[in-house]
Amino acid sequence: MASETVIPTRVKICGLSNEATLAAALEAGADWIGLVHFPRSPRHVALDRAAALSARARGRAERVILLVDPDDALAAAAVAAVDPDLIQLHGGESPDRVAAIRALTGRPVMKALGIATRADLAAVSAYAAVADRILLDAKAPPDSILPGGNGLRFDWAILADAALPPGTMLSGGLDAGNVAEALARTRVGAVDVSSGVESAPGAKDPDKIAAFVAAARAAR
């Protein structure tokens, strides 16, 4: 009997902000490295800093610039500076706005959607029609200043029997200790982590990065 082909889980380490932790993510074998350009985030990096980190990752991992409700000028400036392989939109962008940013920049776009209840999945199909990838993240609390990276997880049972588009990525409260369970329960093929590999908000931990990537790979 032929053995079943196992497709490794793809992993994104988001919110990297210095050379040491970028190197840790690359050495661990992360598929994507995420750079956050959102001043209210403890993981924020200016575009010139993001450009320098992106250049170090070129050819070793796909580079993602995370933006929150960017106007045309910011979207264009981010692409010009960082040369990302993917733009992650993590705000309240409508499907039309996602399509417009994709057309303006000429880059693939990933749209993050906040999930708290099964009803929140109703938005997936509209965004999947215009985005190259969907990221399902825990919905931020009403009083949060951050749309993501809050260290929260949603009930993965919400995704049971859900028709998710190919390439859907899971985020929200993941760490090395629960990523295998998350993958088993949701059946997604890609995961995104930020606060789960930190020692403090915005401070990535190289050992936690390595442990997370290893746990995600071992789960498949």
Side-chain angles (χ1 to χ4, degrees):
M1 179 184 296
S3 61
E4 181 181 353
T5 300
V6 178
I7 300 174
T9 301
R10 301 194 72 196
V11 179
K12 175 172 171 277
I13 306 296
C14 195
L16 295 161
S17 58
N18 60 55
E19 286 79 359
T21 53
L22 173 66
L26 295 173
E27 289 165 9
D31 299 283
W32 296 275
I33 59 97
L35 306 166
V36 175
H37 184 75
F38 182 55
R40 283 186 281 173
S41 171
R43 304 165 187 97
H44 169 72
V45 288
L47 290 183
D48 58 348
R49 184 78 177 126
L53 294 170
S54 175
R56 286 176 173 264
R58 185 189 307 275
R60 298 185 65 188
E62 292 185 54
R63 299 153 302 152
V64 182
I65 185 72
L66 185 156
L67 304 172
V68 179
D69 295 308
D71 59 19
D72 287 358
L74 176 55
V79 169
V82 181
D83 186 30
D85 297 295
L86 188 69
I87 298 170
Q88 180 174 334
L89 297 175
H90 218 107
E93 302 89 359
S94 68
D96 285 348
R97 182 60 182 151
V98 172
I101 291 172
R102 191 177 186 276
L104 169 72
T105 62
R107 301 298 166 104
V109 171
M110 174 165 63
K111 179 66 181 95
L113 299 177
I115 304 298
T117 69
R118 179 89 177 186
D120 292 320
L121 295 178
V124 169
S125 60
Y127 282 101
V130 293
D132 298 272
R133 188 179 287 270
I134 296 296
L135 170 66
L136 302 180
D137 194 6
K139 184 174 286 187
D143 60 347
S144 176
I145 64 170
L146 301 177
N150 293 294
L152 304 174
R153 56 178 274 188
F154 63 89
D155 182 2
W156 299 321
I158 291 169
L159 303 185
D161 301 320
L164 300 175
T168 296
M169 187 181 295
L170 180 69
S171 188
L174 298 176
D175 57 37
N178 66 18
V179 67
E181 178 191 357
L183 288 164
R185 293 183 61 186
T186 65
R187 313 297 293 176
V188 299
V191 289
D192 181 3
V193 68
S194 186
S195 60
V197 291
E198 291 179 343
S199 55
K204 292 290 184 288
D205 183 312
D207 291 336
K208 290 185 177 183
I209 290 173
F212 183 86
V213 175
R217 297 276 193 259
R220 293 284 170 143

